[in-house]
Amino acid sequence: MEAFFNRYRHLSLLVVVVFAQLILLAWQIKTNQEARGVRVWAVTAVTPLARFIEEVRYKTAHFFSDYVVLSGVQQQNLQIKRDLDRLKLENQNLRNEVQMADRVRALASFVKESQFKYLGARIINNAPGTNSKVVYIDRGSTTGVMRGMSVLTPDGIVGKVVSSYPTAAQVMLINDPTFSGAVISQKNRTRGVVKGQGHVKMILDYVQNEEQLEVGELVFTSGEDRIFPKGLAVGKVASVKDGVQFKEVVVVPSGFREGLEEVLVLIEGGHQPLPTATTPVTNQVTLLPEPTGDDAAGNKFEVAPDKMKTEADKVLERYKQIEQWNGGQMGTSGRIPNYNVLPAAPAPATATPPVISGAKPALAPVKP
Amino acid sequence: MDFADRYDSSRRSRISRFKPIVLVLAPLLAILFQLYVPRFATFFEMLNLPLLVVVYFSLMRRMPVLGILFGASVGLVQDSLSSQPLGVLGIVQTLVGYFAASMSLRVDGENPAVRLFVGFFFFLFHQFFYWLLVRALLGAVIPVELVDNLVMAVLNCAVGLPLFALFDRLKMK
């Protein structure tokens, strides 16, 4: 037996070692355990070395790239800059989209509340020319835009269609040097013609020096030019001063307040009344005393009481006097007074001029 | 001197000796290589450096006992670092070590052509017995990809040649 094992010692050892491993394997499968003792030894022997190698590799790689070549940092920096530029553009585009959405919402609200028919359009480009204020919109004759139609925004008029093509239309803005339109002021109802100057501000021409016009007064279309219907906002009076023959008035248009991107073309419109001017409300009301005046001789004048009465009051008073004189009253004593017979005339009063409505009352001289 | 003595003396002269530290570090580094390098280059997953180490040292030591123990040790360490039960790769590497050492008694392990053949043969031997043990003992099915295995065998034997030349420098004079 011993000779057998000596002769085949290698094979015997092989069988023993393989058999031992088979037993180990079978035990692990049967008991579902993983022979942790052996694994701990193997992992403890291998992992520190692996950790050390990884540390060396990491530091070497980063040292080389960060401090020697800087290729990674430079590329990273360039990439970050590109991403930043792209994000800035995206942010700006999104802001523009939000602003456009707000404008479109305002347009839609204006159209919805208005009784007229509008067509939304977008300005696509400007016409060439140094001082020309002519733009193109993306609506043309195929969508109903015709020459002469008004172009406006919810804030006011911005121009008129001067040419219409199948897919686009040319619009002259109100600040174009060749533009003019008939307007009327809101408070004083002063009429004039507004003209473009090639820049933001416009002038209001043909306003007599004697006419009333205030700074801050709103100006609307009057409808007299047969282009813009009456009642559309034009702008606000910025300055007023007397000129040689006409006032020199500057008007700031209101239609360009929010910038000019989307506009409305008035397809079917009509005249509408001007909105009423609202007066500022104050808490305290101050009443002036009754007016008095002096004539050239130094006599003081005061207003006669009966001159403050209307014609109807005078007629009623006369009827009462007739009734008192006749001793009867209509509908009470069965006796109808004769209203055609005037009672005895009272003491003559001094002659006074007739009172005209709206004018200042006449002053009766009173002897001191 | 009789034939047995002449045979024994000639065999002893062809046995390569290595320092114990080399016998410990070489398989350890081979296992580390197999664990670490494929993280950065998946191409190296096809290499089986622990197998090449077992084949080389069993071939050069020309001692079946050492081949058995060396193969079993390397195989068990590989099993310990993997998720499969201990013993699968241990048995396979044990067989590789034994047969490589047995083959070295009859062929010249320092011949490059022999080394190429040995590398190619024992890779396929390893793959076959691994597939057999996993299927028979664990009940798992590994797909048989013959062409891939042939290609990997060629790759391993090609890598084994310069690796064996490198290990030759670690021999004790």
Side-chain angles (χ1 to χ4, degrees):
Chain A
M1 189 68 174
E2 189 177 342
F4 176 80
F5 283 114
N6 283 335
R7 187 180 175 88
Y8 300 104
R9 59 178 183 273
H10 301 150
L11 201 58
S12 303
L13 181 62
L14 177 67
V15 169
V16 167
V17 171
V18 170
F19 192 71
Q21 292 181 83
L22 279 173
I23 297 294
L24 177 63
L25 195 60
W27 175 79
Q28 290 173 90
I29 294 171
K30 191 171 177 62
T31 60
N32 200 22
Q33 294 181 9
E34 59 174 9
R36 189 172 167 75
V38 180
R39 290 184 191 273
V40 168
W41 279 100
V43 170
T44 305
V46 171
T47 49
L49 204 56
R51 196 179 300 128
F52 173 74
I53 294 173
E54 170 61 20
E55 194 73 24
V56 170
R57 183 206 66 82
Y58 179 83
K59 287 188 175 175
T60 305
H62 280 76
F63 175 79
F64 190 71
S65 66
D66 293 347
Y67 296 99
V68 178
V69 178
L70 293 178
S71 61
V73 171
Q74 189 178 12
Q75 277 183 354
Q76 196 178 24
N77 190 27
L78 287 173
Q79 183 62 35
I80 288 172
K81 281 184 179 176
R82 280 194 290 267
D83 289 342
L84 183 62
D85 291 338
R86 181 179 54 81
L87 288 170
K88 278 183 180 176
L89 277 174
E90 281 182 17
N91 190 21
Q92 187 59 41
N93 289 337
L94 288 171
R95 284 175 185 269
N96 291 340
E97 291 286 332
V98 168
Q99 288 171 359
M100 189 179 74
D102 289 340
R103 288 195 299 269
V104 170
R105 197 179 302 120
L107 282 176
S109 172
F110 176 78
V111 170
K112 187 178 175 183
E113 292 172 0
S114 173
Q115 56 184 331
F116 305 131
K117 186 178 175 185
Y118 297 94
L119 183 66
R122 186 170 295 174
I123 294 178
I124 52 180
N125 64 314
N126 294 348
T130 53
N131 213 23
S132 171
K133 299 295 179 188
V134 177
V135 298
Y136 283 90
I137 59 175
D138 61 352
R139 300 283 194 176
S141 54
T142 53
T143 54
V145 175
M146 296 300 166
R147 186 168 176 264
M149 286 182 173
S150 309
V151 180
L152 61 145
T153 65
D155 296 321
I157 62 169
V158 295
K160 62 182 178 185
V161 178
V162 293
S163 300
S164 180
Y165 306 102
T167 58
Q170 196 178 59
V171 174
M172 178 191 291
L173 300 179
I174 59 174
N175 55 355
D176 187 271
T178 59
F179 177 85
S180 60
V183 298
I184 182 172
S185 68
Q186 181 187 35
K187 186 177 175 185
N188 293 299
R189 293 297 195 263
T190 302
R191 296 173 187 272
V193 175
V194 67
K195 296 179 179 177
Q197 297 294 296
H199 50 79
V200 175
K201 295 183 180 177
M202 308 165 66
I203 61 169
L204 180 55
D205 208 352
Y206 307 120
V207 176
Q208 300 284 342
N209 286 327
E210 294 76 21
E211 296 191 65
Q212 301 294 323
L213 197 61
E214 299 173 4
V215 174
E217 194 171 344
L218 297 178
V219 176
F220 293 83
T221 54
S222 65
E224 293 169 353
D225 52 4
R226 308 285 294 277
I227 294 176
F228 295 101
K230 183 183 177 182
L232 299 177
V234 175
K236 186 185 285 188
V237 175
S239 66
V240 179
K241 63 179 180 181
D242 288 345
V244 176
Q245 187 180 0
F246 302 111
K247 284 185 183 293
E248 294 176 3
V249 182
V250 175
V251 172
V252 175
S254 57
F256 301 122
R257 190 180 307 163
E258 297 292 333
L260 213 52
E261 297 260 353
E262 292 85 23
V263 295
L264 295 170
V265 180
L266 185 61
I267 302 295
E268 291 176 9
H271 301 299
Q272 55 188 357
L274 297 184
T276 54
T278 56
T279 55
V281 176
T282 57
N283 292 329
Q284 188 176 0
V285 177
T286 302
L287 295 177
L288 295 174
E290 288 186 2
T292 58
D294 298 326
D295 59 0
N299 297 323
K300 289 203 178 288
F301 290 86
E302 60 182 12
V303 176
D306 60 342
K307 295 305 172 190
M308 300 301 291
K309 297 178 185 174
T310 62
E311 291 297 322
D313 292 331
K314 293 176 188 172
V315 169
L316 186 63
E317 193 173 346
R318 190 175 72 192
Y319 284 175
K320 283 182 181 174
Q321 287 176 359
I322 291 172
E323 287 170 359
Q324 287 175 0
W325 183 63
N326 284 337
Q329 192 173 4
M330 183 69 172
T332 54
S333 62
R335 184 180 167 191
I336 301 173
N338 187 1
Y339 291 102
N340 295 319
V341 177
L342 295 175
T350 54
T352 58
V355 177
I356 303 171
S357 63
K360 294 182 181 176
L363 302 179
V366 175
K367 292 181 182 176
Chain B
M1 184 184 292
D2 59 356
F3 174 78
D5 291 334
R6 273 205 307 269
Y7 174 77
D8 197 38
S9 66
S10 70
R11 188 177 76 85
R12 277 201 297 270
S13 68
R14 290 184 289 136
I15 292 175
S16 302
R17 300 191 192 291
F18 300 91
K19 291 180 181 175
I21 190 70
V22 172
L23 292 176
V24 171
L25 282 182
L28 199 61
L29 290 175
I31 291 170
L32 272 173
F33 181 91
Q34 196 176 27
L35 292 175
Y36 189 71
V37 174
R39 281 180 55 203
F40 308 101
T42 53
F43 169 79
F44 290 102
E45 284 179 350
M46 291 191 286
L47 284 182
N48 195 342
L49 284 189
L51 171 69
L52 292 174
V53 167
V54 169
V55 166
Y56 174 80
F57 285 103
S58 302
L59 206 63
M60 300 312 290
R61 284 294 290 163
R62 292 184 172 92
M63 292 172 66
V65 173
L66 192 62
I68 290 168
L69 296 175
F70 192 74
S73 305
V74 173
L76 284 173
V77 171
Q78 282 184 279
D79 283 329
S80 302
L81 297 171
S82 68
S83 58
Q84 59 193 6
L86 293 177
V88 177
L89 279 172
I91 294 172
V92 174
Q93 296 282 39
T94 303
L95 293 172
V96 167
Y98 172 75
F99 285 107
S102 300
M103 189 182 288
S104 69
L105 297 174
R106 287 159 178 81
V107 297
D108 180 14
E110 295 186 6
N111 191 318
V114 171
R115 286 179 172 182
L116 275 175
F117 171 77
V118 165
F120 180 85
F121 172 77
F122 277 107
F123 182 85
L124 293 176
F125 180 91
H126 175 277
Q127 294 295 94
F128 171 74
F129 275 98
Y130 180 74
W131 173 83
L132 186 67
L133 286 174
V134 166
R135 189 174 176 86
L137 299 179
L138 300 180
V141 177
I142 299 177
V144 178
E145 296 168 354
L146 190 59
V147 176
D148 290 348
N149 282 308
L150 286 171
V151 171
M152 284 194 288
V154 170
L155 180 68
N156 277 271
C157 75
V159 171
L161 204 59
L163 184 66
F164 291 177
L166 181 65
F167 286 150
D168 285 340
R169 294 173 180 270
L170 303 176
K171 280 192 250 185
M172 286 172 65
K173 304 290 184 208

Coordinates of all heavy atoms in Angstrom, one line a residue, chain A residues 160-198:
Chain A
K160 N -50.5 103.2 -40.3 CA -51.6 102.8 -41.3 C -50.9 102.0 -42.4 O -49.7 102.2 -42.7 CB -52.3 104.1 -41.8 CG -51.4 105.0 -42.5 CD -52.1 106.2 -43.0 CE -51.2 107.2 -43.7 NZ -51.9 108.5 -44.1
V161 N -51.8 101.2 -43.0 CA -51.3 100.3 -44.1 C -51.1 101.2 -45.3 O -52.1 101.8 -45.8 CB -52.2 99.1 -44.3 CG1 -51.7 98.3 -45.4 CG2 -52.3 98.3 -43.0
V162 N -50.0 101.2 -45.9 CA -49.8 102.0 -47.1 C -49.7 101.1 -48.4 O -50.0 101.5 -49.5 CB -48.5 102.8 -47.0 CG1 -48.7 103.9 -46.0 CG2 -47.3 102.0 -46.7
S163 N -49.3 99.8 -48.2 CA -49.3 98.9 -49.3 C -49.7 97.5 -48.8 O -49.2 97.1 -47.7 CB -47.9 98.8 -50.0 OG -47.6 100.1 -50.5
S164 N -50.4 96.8 -49.6 CA -50.8 95.4 -49.2 C -50.4 94.5 -50.3 O -50.7 94.7 -51.5 CB -52.3 95.4 -48.9 OG -52.6 94.1 -48.5
Y165 N -49.7 93.4 -49.9 CA -49.2 92.4 -50.8 C -49.9 91.1 -50.4 O -50.5 91.0 -49.3 CB -47.7 92.2 -50.8 CG -47.0 93.6 -51.0 CD1 -46.5 94.3 -50.0 CD2 -46.9 94.1 -52.3 CE1 -45.9 95.5 -50.2 CE2 -46.3 95.3 -52.6 CZ -45.8 96.0 -51.5 OH -45.2 97.2 -51.8
P166 N -49.8 90.0 -51.2 CA -50.5 88.8 -50.8 C -50.1 88.3 -49.4 O -51.0 87.8 -48.7 CB -50.1 87.8 -51.9 CG -49.8 88.7 -53.1 CD -49.2 89.9 -52.5
T167 N -48.8 88.3 -49.1 CA -48.4 87.7 -47.8 C -47.9 88.6 -46.8 O -47.5 88.2 -45.7 CB -47.4 86.6 -48.1 OG1 -46.2 87.2 -48.7 CG2 -47.9 85.4 -48.9
A168 N -47.8 89.9 -47.2 CA -47.3 90.9 -46.2 C -47.9 92.2 -46.5 O -48.6 92.4 -47.6 CB -45.8 91.0 -46.3
A169 N -47.7 93.2 -45.6 CA -48.2 94.5 -45.9 C -47.2 95.5 -45.3 O -46.5 95.2 -44.3 CB -49.6 94.7 -45.2
Q170 N -47.2 96.7 -46.0 CA -46.3 97.7 -45.5 C -47.1 98.7 -44.7 O -48.1 99.2 -45.1 CB -45.7 98.4 -46.8 CG -44.5 99.2 -46.5 CD -43.9 99.9 -47.8 OE1 -44.6 100.6 -48.4 NE2 -42.7 99.5 -48.1
V171 N -46.5 99.0 -43.5 CA -47.2 99.9 -42.6 C -46.3 101.1 -42.3 O -45.1 101.0 -42.0 CB -47.5 99.2 -41.2 CG1 -48.0 100.1 -40.2 CG2 -48.4 98.0 -41.5
M172 N -46.9 102.3 -42.5 CA -46.2 103.5 -42.2 C -46.5 103.9 -40.7 O -47.7 104.0 -40.3 CB -46.7 104.7 -43.1 CG -46.0 106.0 -42.7 SD -46.8 107.4 -43.6 CE -46.3 107.1 -45.2
L173 N -45.5 104.0 -39.9 CA -45.7 104.3 -38.5 C -46.0 105.8 -38.3 O -45.7 106.6 -39.2 CB -44.4 104.0 -37.7 CG -44.0 102.5 -37.8 CD1 -42.7 102.3 -37.0 CD2 -45.1 101.6 -37.3
I174 N -46.6 106.1 -37.2 CA -47.1 107.5 -37.0 C -46.0 108.4 -36.8 O -46.1 109.7 -36.9 CB -48.1 107.5 -35.8 CG1 -47.4 107.0 -34.5 CG2 -49.4 106.7 -36.2 CD1 -48.3 107.2 -33.3
N175 N -44.8 107.9 -36.5 CA -43.6 108.9 -36.3 C -42.8 109.0 -37.6 O -41.7 109.5 -37.6 CB -42.8 108.4 -35.1 CG -42.3 107.0 -35.3 OD1 -42.7 106.3 -36.2 ND2 -41.4 106.6 -34.4
D176 N -43.4 108.5 -38.7 CA -42.7 108.7 -40.0 C -42.9 110.2 -40.4 O -43.9 110.8 -40.1 CB -43.4 107.8 -41.0 CG -42.6 107.8 -42.4 OD1 -43.0 108.7 -43.2 OD2 -41.7 107.0 -42.5
P177 N -41.8 110.8 -41.0 CA -41.9 112.2 -41.3 C -43.1 112.6 -42.3 O -43.5 113.7 -42.3 CB -40.6 112.5 -42.0 CG -39.7 111.5 -41.4 CD -40.5 110.3 -41.2
T178 N -43.6 111.6 -43.0 CA -44.6 111.9 -44.0 C -46.0 111.6 -43.4 O -47.0 111.7 -44.1 CB -44.4 111.1 -45.3 OG1 -44.4 109.7 -45.0 CG2 -43.1 111.5 -45.9
F179 N -46.1 111.1 -42.2 CA -47.4 110.8 -41.6 C -48.1 112.0 -41.0 O -47.4 112.9 -40.4 CB -47.2 109.7 -40.5 CG -48.5 109.4 -39.8 CD1 -49.3 108.4 -40.3 CD2 -48.9 110.0 -38.6 CE1 -50.5 108.0 -39.7 CE2 -50.1 109.7 -38.0 CZ -50.9 108.7 -38.5
S180 N -49.4 112.0 -41.1 CA -50.2 113.0 -40.5 C -51.6 112.5 -40.2 O -52.1 111.6 -41.0 CB -50.3 114.3 -41.3 OG -50.9 114.0 -42.6
G181 N -52.2 112.9 -39.1 CA -53.6 112.4 -38.8 C -54.3 113.5 -38.0 O -53.8 114.2 -37.2
A182 N -55.6 113.5 -38.1 CA -56.5 114.4 -37.4 C -56.8 113.9 -36.0 O -57.1 112.7 -35.9 CB -57.8 114.6 -38.2
V183 N -56.6 114.8 -35.0 CA -56.8 114.4 -33.7 C -57.6 115.4 -32.9 O -57.8 116.5 -33.4 CB -55.4 114.2 -33.0 CG1 -54.6 113.1 -33.6 CG2 -54.6 115.5 -33.0
I184 N -58.0 115.0 -31.7 CA -58.7 115.9 -30.8 C -58.3 115.6 -29.4 O -58.1 114.5 -29.1 CB -60.3 115.7 -31.0 CG1 -61.1 116.7 -30.2 CG2 -60.7 114.3 -30.8 CD1 -62.5 116.7 -30.4
S185 N -58.2 116.7 -28.6 CA -57.8 116.5 -27.2 C -59.0 116.1 -26.4 O -60.1 116.4 -26.7 CB -57.1 117.8 -26.7 OG -58.1 118.8 -26.5
Q186 N -58.6 115.4 -25.3 CA -59.7 114.8 -24.5 C -60.4 115.9 -23.7 O -61.7 115.9 -23.7 CB -59.1 113.7 -23.6 CG -60.2 113.0 -22.7 CD -59.5 112.1 -21.7 OE1 -58.4 112.4 -21.2 NE2 -60.1 111.0 -21.4
K187 N -59.7 116.7 -23.0 CA -60.3 117.6 -22.0 C -60.9 118.9 -22.7 O -62.1 119.2 -22.4 CB -59.3 118.0 -21.0 CG -59.8 118.8 -19.8 CD -58.7 119.1 -18.8 CE -59.3 120.0 -17.7 NZ -58.2 120.3 -16.8
N188 N -60.1 119.5 -23.5 CA -60.5 120.8 -24.0 C -61.1 120.7 -25.4 O -61.5 121.7 -26.0 CB -59.3 121.8 -24.1 CG -58.8 122.1 -22.7 OD1 -59.6 122.7 -21.9 ND2 -57.6 121.8 -22.4
R189 N -61.1 119.4 -26.0 CA -61.7 119.2 -27.3 C -61.0 120.1 -28.3 O -61.7 120.6 -29.2 CB -63.2 119.4 -27.3 CG -64.0 118.4 -26.4 CD -63.9 117.0 -26.9 NE -64.9 116.1 -26.4 CZ -64.7 115.3 -25.4 NH1 -63.5 115.3 -24.7 NH2 -65.6 114.5 -25.0
T190 N -59.7 120.2 -28.2 CA -59.0 121.0 -29.2 C -58.6 120.1 -30.3 O -58.0 119.1 -30.1 CB -57.7 121.6 -28.5 OG1 -58.1 122.4 -27.4 CG2 -56.9 122.5 -29.5
R191 N -58.9 120.6 -31.5 CA -58.6 119.8 -32.7 C -57.3 120.2 -33.4 O -56.9 121.4 -33.3 CB -59.7 119.9 -33.7 CG -61.0 119.3 -33.2 CD -62.2 119.6 -34.2 NE -63.4 119.2 -33.5 CZ -63.9 117.9 -33.6 NH1 -63.3 117.0 -34.3 NH2 -65.1 117.6 -33.0
G192 N -56.6 119.3 -34.0 CA -55.4 119.6 -34.7 C -55.0 118.5 -35.6 O -55.7 117.5 -35.8
V193 N -53.8 118.6 -36.1 CA -53.2 117.5 -37.0 C -51.9 117.1 -36.4 O -51.0 117.9 -36.2 CB -53.0 118.0 -38.4 CG1 -52.3 117.0 -39.3 CG2 -54.4 118.4 -39.0
V194 N -51.8 115.8 -36.1 CA -50.5 115.3 -35.5 C -49.6 114.8 -36.7 O -50.1 114.2 -37.6 CB -50.8 114.2 -34.5 CG1 -51.4 113.0 -35.2 CG2 -49.6 113.8 -33.7
K195 N -48.3 115.2 -36.6 CA -47.4 114.8 -37.7 C -46.1 114.1 -37.1 O -45.7 114.5 -36.0 CB -46.9 116.1 -38.4 CG -48.1 116.9 -39.1 CD -47.5 118.1 -39.8 CE -48.6 118.8 -40.5 NZ -48.2 120.1 -41.1
G196 N -45.6 113.2 -37.8 CA -44.4 112.5 -37.4 C -43.2 113.3 -37.7 O -43.2 114.1 -38.6
Q197 N -42.1 113.0 -36.9 CA -40.9 113.8 -37.1 C -39.7 112.9 -37.4 O -38.6 113.4 -37.5 CB -40.6 114.5 -35.8 CG -41.6 115.6 -35.4 CD -41.7 116.7 -36.4 OE1 -40.7 117.4 -36.6 NE2 -42.8 116.8 -37.1
G198 N -39.9 111.6 -37.5 CA -38.8 110.7 -37.8 C -38.2 110.2 -36.5 O -37.2 109.4 -36.5

